[in-house]
Amino acid sequence: MSDSKLAIDGGQKAVPRLGPYPPKIGREELWALIDLWDFGPGTKDKLKEIIRRDRNVRGPHLFRYYNPKPSRVAAAEEAMRRLIGARHCLAVNSCTSALVAAYRALGIGSGDEVIVPGYTFFATAATVAACNAIPVIVDIDDTLCLDARAVAKAISRRTKAIAVVHMRGAPAQMDALLDVARRKGLPVVEDVAQAGGGSFHGKRLGSLGAIGCFSFDYYKIIVSGEGGFVTTDDEWLYTRAQSWHDTAACWRPNRYARERRKGELFCGENYRMSELEGAVALAQIRRTDQVLAGYRRAKKLIKQAIAPRPGLAFRRITDAAGDTGICLVLFLPNPGLTRKAMIALQAEGVPAGGIYDAQIRDWHIYAYWDHILKKKAVARDGLPWSAMPPRELPKYSRTMCPRALDFLARAIIVNVDCHYSAADCAAIAEGINKVLRVMLP
Ligand SMILES: Cc1ncc(COP(=O)(O)O)c(C=O)c1O
């Protein structure tokens, strides 16, 4: 018979205890993870046996907030903050999310323009339109990154930011770009997706502009499968990016406080990083400099063994010490020869590829961004294009960035691996010399 005296009056508790119950995420999920690695069946069985024997293990809490254990996402943010040398760092689930959070933190919305390079993965520009703003596509130079003079010419009264992308592992001409931005009073958003860990004149990329955006998707330098980070020195921008990344949970210093200042409260989305990605990202961030040292060593060995010859040029590197070394870009005199050389290099086993071929669609080159060139809208409201008088919209065309098309059609990219041995590097350089001796006699 249950005690009728209420527990608050000293009676017996009706529910003395619940559980313990098995964790939400337990052994099966751990095995599912171990299965992602190509361990042989013997090793897998041994691992399973060891895990099976330990009965008292608690499962992981994969949500970064309200975590009874120290959050791996928070630890990754701190490691990334220190690596980049920024005051604040926010983990998100991709660089695409980081870019939207950055543009939103800057208050970018309909009727605004953001300058983007004609050579970048489409996400840099698509996210501008996703914020209902207009991407203004600007030409690049022989760094394969934004050309500062072209940027200066493209700035209008509607421009609200310049998105600088450090393409293919190497820093853009940041001094000239920051100078244009400073003179016009515009923030620079650095898209560091392809150059994580790189630097410009001693400062890590992502710490030079107002906000840095990083990708940790599997194809980048440091990775967690999917993932991204936002870095900034500005507490206000950090707070706004953080709010945007978590619906309207508005973490701020005091989560439930009223708005301290106009612009602190608004409705956001959900870009949170899970503890799984946080754990992988943390391990990768700690290895960044070791990984970069491997790329740089290999690239140097390959480049110094390539014989100079008339007609051969290299991509201009704005700061050799800050280049991540993930690839080497050669320019040949014309697109036809470039294509022939590229095929010959591949036949030699050199890990080479072209960048732009007018016959091959590629989301990294503005000429294929039909979504923007043809002003596509996701809804009947016609945004982002309908927010501006048609005559004030940019004049998009497939030939609007002639230098991008010229450089990219004449470029051969030689991919570098941080694990290449000296012999691998010598063989790759010899393969390049062999082909160029014939193609550029
Ligand atoms: C320059 C650039 N920006 C943004 C992105 C988008 O990154 P994510 O895949 O993390 O959204 C990429 C990815 O390829 C990229 O190369």
Side-chain angles (χ1 to χ4, degrees):
M1 221 176 80
S2 76
D3 181 2
S4 58
K5 199 169 174 190
L6 294 180
I8 48 171
D9 296 329
Q12 266 180 8
K13 280 178 152 194
V15 186
R17 197 168 76 120
L18 289 172
Y21 301 116
K24 201 169 224 171
I25 295 181
R27 288 180 169 73
E28 280 182 35
E29 291 76 11
L30 179 56
W31 289 335
L33 282 181
I34 290 172
D35 240 2
L36 292 175
W37 274 258
D38 282 334
F39 290 119
T43 309
K44 276 190 189 172
D45 291 345
K46 274 189 223 149
L47 284 171
K48 283 186 183 179
E49 189 42 42
I50 294 167
I51 291 162
R52 196 177 290 122
R53 264 190 259 134
D54 194 340
R55 294 253 139 242
N56 295 321
V57 78
R58 274 191 301 159
H61 185 101
L62 294 184
F63 197 78
R64 69 164 298 179
Y65 296 116
Y66 315 115
N67 196 330
K69 298 180 195 166
S71 161
R72 299 303 197 277
V73 175
E77 283 176 342
E78 177 55 16
M80 192 67 178
R81 190 190 71 71
R82 282 169 180 270
L83 177 78
I84 302 307
R87 285 208 188 100
H88 305 279
C89 179
L90 174 74
V92 290
N93 52 15
S94 70
C95 186
T96 303
S97 302
L99 287 161
V100 175
Y103 296 146
R104 286 311 201 187
L106 288 165
I108 288 163
S110 65
D112 295 335
E113 290 177 355
V114 176
I115 288 177
V116 300
Y119 178 46
T120 177
F121 180 60
F122 181 53
T124 323
T127 45
V128 173
C131 291
N132 286 329
I134 304 292
V136 173
I137 302 169
V138 169
D139 216 342
I140 60 167
D141 59 21
D142 55 349
T143 63
L144 299 189
C145 302
L146 269 179
D147 171 15
R149 269 172 303 181
V151 169
K153 280 195 209 137
I155 291 170
S156 79
R157 67 188 169 85
R158 294 184 185 272
T159 311
K160 290 294 179 304
I162 303 167
V164 174
V165 186
H166 306 290
M167 279 303 274
R168 299 283 193 169
Q173 191 67 60
M174 284 307 280
D175 41 3
L177 289 161
L178 287 170
D179 190 48
V180 172
R182 216 173 288 121
R183 278 189 281 119
K184 301 287 181 177
L186 290 170
V188 166
V189 174
E190 289 180 80
D191 179 337
V192 201
Q194 299 196 8
S199 58
F200 183 75
H201 295 173
K203 287 196 80 186
R204 296 274 188 177
L205 305 179
S207 71
L208 294 117
I211 305 195
C213 298
F214 293 80
S215 174
F216 270 54
D217 83 31
Y218 187 70
Y219 296 100
K220 301 303 185 293
I221 299 172
I222 35 179
V223 308
S224 53
E226 293 278 9
F229 289 86
V230 177
T231 50
T232 181
D233 280 345
D234 185 321
E235 198 263 340
W236 182 244
L237 293 180
Y238 167 72
T239 300
R240 281 173 55 89
Q242 189 194 39
S243 287
W244 187 268
H245 113 296
D246 193 8
T247 343
C250 310
W251 292 97
R252 307 174 290 152
N254 179 356
R255 194 173 174 205
Y256 295 104
R258 292 192 194 282
E259 201 171 39
R260 289 177 299 173
R261 177 175 145 197
K262 191 169 165 7
E264 195 177 36
L265 293 188
F266 48 79
C267 302
E269 300 191 344
N270 171 7
Y271 300 164
R272 292 184 307 255
M273 181 186 271
S274 101
E275 288 286 294
L276 282 178
E277 289 149 351
V280 180
L282 177 60
Q284 290 262 311
I285 293 164
R286 289 177 175 157
R287 287 207 285 135
T288 308
D289 282 330
Q290 184 197 334
V291 170
L292 290 180
Y295 281 118
R296 287 171 173 153
R297 178 195 48 83
K299 177 171 176 176
K300 197 168 164 198
L301 285 176
I302 298 170
K303 189 169 179 198
Q304 70 194 15
I306 297 175
R309 59 187 59 249
L312 169 66
F314 290 99
R315 168 195 190 176
R316 181 162 61 83
I317 295 295
T318 62
D319 176 4
D323 176 10
T324 62
I326 58 166
C327 69
L328 176 66
V329 180
L330 322 173
F331 295 124
L332 299 194
N334 63 66
L337 191 61
T338 306
R339 207 169 310 119
K340 266 174 47 188
M342 199 251 300
I343 293 165
L345 286 167
Q346 288 175 345
E348 295 294 337
V350 173
I355 298 187
Y356 172 57
D357 180 323
Q359 313 307 320
I360 302 171
R361 287 169 72 76
D362 180 340
W363 294 132
H364 292 82
I365 299 161
Y366 79 95
Y368 298 114
W369 299 345
D370 291 348
H371 339 42
I372 293 174
L373 269 48
K374 296 185 179 163
K375 303 191 182 76
K376 303 285 182 193
V378 67
R380 270 179 305 159
D381 58 17
L383 287 171
W385 322 104
S386 57
M388 264 164 65
R391 67 192 146 71
E392 286 189 35
L393 286 170
K395 308 260 174 302
Y396 297 121
S397 84
R398 287 196 64 170
T399 53
M400 64 190 287
C401 298
R403 298 186 79 204
L405 299 186
D406 173 52
F407 283 122
L408 299 177
R410 294 190 295 107
I412 290 180
I413 182 155
V414 178
N415 291 309
V416 174
D417 192 294
C418 58
H419 300 108
Y420 283 160
S421 65
D424 294 335
C425 296
I428 290 170
E430 178 40 32
I432 296 169
N433 287 331
K434 186 176 167 193
V435 168
L436 294 186
R437 269 195 296 271
V438 176
M439 303 275 166
L440 291 176

